[in-house]
Amino acid sequence: MSCIENSDQKAQQVDVNSGDKKPRIALIMKSLANDFFSSMAEGAKKHQQQQGDEYELIVNGIKDERDLSRQVALVEEMVANGVDAIVIAPADSKALVPALRRAREAGVVVVNIDNKLDQEILEAEKISIPFVGPDNQAGAKKVGDFLASKLKSGDEVVVLEGIRTSFNGTQRRLGFEAAMQDAGIKIVDSQSAQWEMSMANTLALSMLSEHRNVKAILAANDSMALGALAAVKNNNKTGEVAIVGFDNIAAVQQAIRDGQILATADQHGGELAVFGIEHALRLIEDPDAKVEDRETPVDLITAEVLK
């Protein structure tokens, strides 16, 4: 197996034949402590094992989704390491662009997954990087619409946003807002919990205390949904305050089955990195190929789906 894992959380190295001409692809993700990115890494490694003669894989992850400087450093390390391609789920839609421009200038193929890079910054840096991932706004709208079907016009809800400089965080917020507006449901508070469970728990406790009539919490990822769930339980409002999330991690699937969380969105994390890797392999094979985005599936997950 030609796979090297080199993350801030763990490092496992496998000998690589220096004479092997197979392309080397670096997968750079956000926190591997988040089940979504852990499943993404596992999906990528499984694909590489199945396609072992086709390419080598280096898997990287940062400890904290907010550690932008470390993710920039990982990009620079992978370029210095001589990889042929970088497939990246950027922690920030803007801050990673200059480092990725330098990677492109060094001849490295770059494919953006999960969180879309900011188009204005890409244009300012004069580079084109393909995005392979779901329509986050449409996915959040599906989740919000399902929640709205369980509420009534005039009900009050709150939103736990992701990092506001992340494109996917912004798109999910917009999807939630559109669904609530269509249903005549009032968002009485919306704050960023920066994708983190503990921060979401703290914010949700505060929101529930300040807004006594809240009927639901819309969380922009499942880690924050779990933090919200703990807050709802702490306030003895289980069954009174609905919760929705985004990512379809295992813990939330169980909470949906148990009736504690209403719904989430599945952007197929286990396959998302694979889609990006396959895109990178095509660009390595044909450097003159047209650089195009590729939209991937996102599906509503409810108790009915999980039966």
Side-chain angles (χ1 to χ4, degrees):
M1 179 181 70
S2 299
C3 177
I4 304 171
E5 183 167 351
N6 178 23
S7 75
D8 281 358
Q9 293 189 317
K10 55 184 178 177
Q12 177 186 1
Q13 295 200 4
V14 179
D15 289 337
V16 176
N17 185 343
S18 60
D20 201 330
K21 299 300 183 182
K22 291 182 291 188
R24 304 175 71 224
I25 297 180
L27 174 62
I28 301 179
M29 295 170 296
K30 292 185 270 184
S31 174
L32 292 180
N34 183 324
D35 283 353
F36 175 74
F37 294 105
S38 178
S39 67
M40 183 184 288
E42 291 304 315
K45 287 186 280 187
K46 182 178 179 181
H47 181 267
Q48 190 278 330
Q49 290 165 12
Q50 293 170 341
Q51 310 290 328
D53 291 336
E54 189 173 356
Y55 70 97
E56 296 169 6
L57 178 67
I58 304 172
V59 177
N60 295 277
I62 53 178
K63 289 182 179 178
D64 187 324
E65 293 192 34
R66 297 164 293 182
D67 192 354
L68 304 182
S69 61
R70 180 57 188 147
Q71 203 175 42
V72 168
L74 283 173
V75 171
E76 294 171 346
E77 288 171 16
M78 292 302 99
V79 173
N81 200 21
V83 299
D84 298 284
I86 291 173
V87 177
I88 185 167
D92 185 279
S93 295
K94 298 180 179 181
L96 270 294
V97 175
L100 295 172
R101 172 184 55 75
R102 293 191 292 272
R104 291 287 295 113
E105 290 172 348
V108 178
V109 168
V110 178
V111 174
N112 171 204
I113 61 172
D114 178 54
N115 178 33
K116 195 174 190 300
L117 294 164
D118 185 271
Q119 189 59 39
E120 289 186 5
I121 303 298
L122 287 170
E123 291 173 1
E125 294 284 343
K126 296 181 172 57
I127 57 167
S128 178
I129 293 176
F131 175 68
V132 177
D135 184 330
N136 280 273
Q137 185 169 344
K141 180 70 161 54
K142 289 180 183 179
V143 173
D145 286 342
F146 183 75
L147 171 64
S149 74
K150 308 298 181 182
L151 303 177
K152 62 181 186 297
S153 181
D155 279 347
E156 297 181 356
V157 301
V158 297
V159 176
L160 293 170
E161 304 172 36
I163 294 174
R164 286 176 171 167
T165 53
S166 293
F167 182 82
N168 59 348
T170 299
Q171 292 298 297
R172 293 176 195 179
R173 174 181 58 79
L174 291 173
F176 287 157
E177 290 175 351
M180 297 304 98
Q181 183 175 358
D182 288 350
I185 294 168
K186 185 178 181 182
I187 297 176
V188 294
D189 202 353
S190 184
Q191 298 185 50
S192 171
Q194 299 188 51
W195 306 123
E196 296 292 333
M197 187 187 303
S198 59
M199 188 178 295
N201 177 249
T202 300
L203 282 176
L205 285 169
S206 175
M207 289 172 166
L208 292 172
S209 176
E210 184 175 351
H211 306 284
R212 299 288 184 174
N213 296 320
V214 163
K215 299 298 182 185
I217 300 172
L218 297 92
N221 79 348
D222 281 348
S223 292
M224 295 189 296
L226 292 172
L229 176 59
V232 167
K233 289 179 177 178
N234 187 267
N235 275 264
N236 297 313
K237 289 192 174 184
T238 303
E240 297 178 31
V241 177
I243 301 167
V244 295
F246 199 112
D247 279 343
N248 194 32
I249 66 173
V252 163
Q253 287 181 22
Q254 189 57 52
I256 291 173
R257 291 190 181 97
D258 294 341
Q260 298 176 328
I261 289 179
L262 183 65
T264 187
D266 187 1
Q267 57 175 327
H268 306 281
E271 301 171 55
L272 191 52
V274 172
F275 295 147
I277 289 167
E278 290 175 342
H279 205 62
L281 288 169
R282 284 193 291 271
L283 293 174
I284 291 170
E285 184 177 351
D286 182 8
D288 296 324
K290 185 177 180 181
V291 176
E292 295 180 315
D293 291 352
R294 177 185 173 188
E295 185 172 321
T296 58
V298 57
D299 300 306
L300 175 68
I301 303 298
T302 66
E304 185 67 27
V305 173
L306 293 173
K307 282 183 178 178

